[in-house]
Amino acid sequence: MRDSFVEYVDKFKLTRPIRSKQNAGVIPLGHREHHYMASISMPDEDTIHLNFYGHEQPFVTWKSDDSFEIFPPRYYSAYSVGNIQEFVPRGIEFGWNRGRIVVRHNDNSYLLQGDKTVKFKKVGPETYELVASSSECAIRKKRGSEKKFVRECSNFLDWMDLVQSIENQDRDPKQEMSDAMDVLYQELGLMTDSEFHKWYHSAATMRDTNKHEQMRLRQHAPHATSEIWRARDSFHTEGCKLILNWITEPMSDKWVTALYIMMYNAGKRAYRSRAMSWNVTLDRKAAEDYITELVKHVYFEHCFDKVPLGAGEIPTKQNAEYLKTYQLIY
């Protein structure tokens, strides 16, 4: 817990590097056996990097004017908070707030998330002042703002009620839902499900570390509710726009496709013991709720206000999920 640029320069110059093939030249910041977790480097005469698990992105950067900038750690979790405390001087602390790392100083808190950083400067013995931090906003919903867009889908919902009332329909339309998702993928310029699985298991993708995440995300495009594991807080924007366009246009075969996509992503799944089979149901309320979710994301600026917070205040996570997006590339 050194608190000046000069102290870290001395630490860098007076510490013997690690002697190994894999980590040759690495200078440990703490215990030598933990050099992979905490190390120190000096890219130029005016800069010191304190590295947390690797040197690709420094965790803390000190400058010769005794200012230092804190970046989000490489491993971002509640467990990291206990491991990173000694990277900063006394008087500055880390905390965990609803899935987010925060920097605490003088009863103020600052988010350390995404591309947000916090910068301080030493102004006296164990005394630091904030130089820069990201401005924060609370996201407040405008009452009833989404209803106009949902009403535009009323013809689709009326048609859906009629289709759902037919008693001889398939209770578990697996193939129909799969075909509908393939139509969505193709409209977005992506591989169909069978093409993706063939590519996924090919020798050419053995070292593609992104393919596993893409596999998971594809299963929940463009947005999945809490019925689907780990996918309720993010949206594929272009896919959401596509479905809203389909169900607000005059009736066409796209309505059928949209219905099965919505059943796949928001339908209620239950096992019928007497029939010994699964069934998927999507009532009008569930469909309206799903459409509302898509509307809140696609028309975010219309549905929400961003209210600036004071310095040192951090926002709640309320409504922040409507800003979370992901990309599909295969």
Side-chain angles (χ1 to χ4, degrees):
M1 301 179 77
R2 296 167 178 81
D3 70 346
S4 71
F5 178 79
V6 172
E7 288 185 51
Y8 276 113
V9 171
D10 289 343
K11 168 64 178 176
F12 176 79
K13 293 182 176 179
L14 298 176
T15 303
R16 290 183 295 106
I18 297 297
R19 299 170 65 181
S20 72
K21 292 181 179 180
Q22 292 182 337
N23 298 292
V26 172
I27 297 179
L29 183 58
H31 294 294
R32 296 184 68 83
E33 61 268 27
H34 295 152
H35 63 273
Y36 58 89
M37 184 175 75
S39 63
I40 182 172
S41 54
M42 193 171 181
D44 58 63
E45 293 184 356
D46 295 317
T47 308
I48 284 286
H49 286 175
L50 307 183
N51 309 306
F52 181 63
Y53 283 103
H55 58 273
E56 295 83 4
Q57 170 62 52
F59 175 48
V60 180
T61 298
W62 277 84
K63 291 293 186 180
S64 56
D65 63 352
D66 271 347
S67 65
F68 60 95
E69 187 171 10
I70 308 171
F71 297 82
R74 180 179 179 183
Y75 290 106
Y76 198 95
S77 72
Y79 299 103
S80 297
V81 173
N83 291 328
I84 58 180
Q85 185 57 60
E86 294 191 7
F87 280 80
V88 293
R90 291 183 179 88
I92 297 173
E93 299 178 348
F94 295 102
W96 186 250
N97 179 281
R98 299 181 179 180
R100 304 169 298 179
I101 293 178
V102 297
V103 180
R104 297 187 177 125
H105 176 247
N106 291 343
D107 297 325
N108 293 324
S109 297
Y110 309 95
L111 278 183
L112 202 62
Q113 185 181 37
D115 58 354
K116 297 177 180 179
T117 65
V118 185
K119 189 173 183 179
F120 294 95
K121 185 172 183 179
K122 183 177 180 180
V123 293
E126 297 189 2
T127 306
Y128 315 92
E129 67 176 14
L130 180 72
V131 176
S133 67
S134 301
S135 58
E136 302 294 346
C137 294
I139 301 174
R140 307 274 167 77
K141 183 180 175 297
K142 300 175 186 177
R143 180 176 295 179
S145 55
E146 77 283 0
K147 292 181 179 179
K148 166 193 170 184
F149 301 100
V150 177
R151 279 196 299 269
E152 294 177 0
C153 306
S154 59
N155 289 338
F156 168 80
L157 292 169
D158 292 340
W159 168 85
M160 187 198 76
D161 281 341
L162 178 62
V163 171
Q164 298 281 59
S165 67
I166 301 174
E167 293 185 357
N168 64 348
Q169 63 178 316
D170 188 354
R171 297 289 183 179
D172 188 16
K174 292 180 180 178
Q175 189 59 50
E176 289 85 349
M177 291 190 294
S178 178
D179 291 343
M181 291 300 295
D182 276 346
V183 172
L184 178 67
Y185 297 145
Q186 289 176 315
E187 290 281 347
L188 294 172
L190 304 169
M191 301 177 189
T192 64
D193 209 37
S194 60
E195 290 170 342
F196 180 82
H197 277 81
K198 183 177 179 180
W199 170 85
Y200 181 88
H201 294 290
S202 67
T205 64
M206 289 289 289
R207 298 184 182 277
D208 191 331
T209 57
N210 192 41
K211 70 176 186 178
H212 307 297
E213 179 68 1
Q214 286 291 302
M215 167 72 88
R216 185 184 72 82
L217 293 174
R218 278 175 60 94
Q219 296 172 352
H220 310 120
H223 173 65
T225 64
S226 57
E227 295 291 315
I228 307 297
W229 179 63
R230 289 185 65 187
R232 57 181 175 266
D233 289 338
S234 56
F235 298 79
H236 185 273
T237 304
E238 294 306 315
C240 293
K241 289 179 179 178
L242 196 59
I243 289 182
L244 289 178
N245 287 340
W246 287 348
I247 63 179
T248 53
E249 292 174 352
M251 187 170 63
S252 70
D253 58 344
K254 296 299 186 186
W255 280 20
V256 179
T257 302
L259 173 59
Y260 283 122
I261 291 173
M262 291 167 64
M263 289 181 71
Y264 179 76
N265 281 308
K268 304 298 180 182
R269 291 160 172 80
Y271 185 73
R272 297 186 299 159
S273 56
R274 288 186 179 181
M276 299 180 65
S277 64
W278 287 89
N279 70 332
V280 181
T281 58
L282 181 73
D283 59 26
R284 188 182 182 103
K285 183 181 183 306
E288 284 186 354
D289 290 344
Y290 186 74
I291 292 170
T292 300
E293 291 291 291
L294 302 189
V295 165
K296 287 179 182 178
H297 171 67
V298 173
Y299 300 104
F300 181 87
E301 299 297 333
H302 181 87
C303 296
F304 298 94
D305 283 323
K306 288 186 175 182
V307 181
L309 298 177
E313 291 185 78
I314 59 173
T316 66
K317 297 179 71 175
Q318 185 175 13
N319 300 319
E321 66 270 20
Y322 297 108
L323 287 173
K324 293 182 180 179
T325 63
Y326 61 87
Q327 297 294 322
L328 294 175
I329 57 179
Y330 303 119

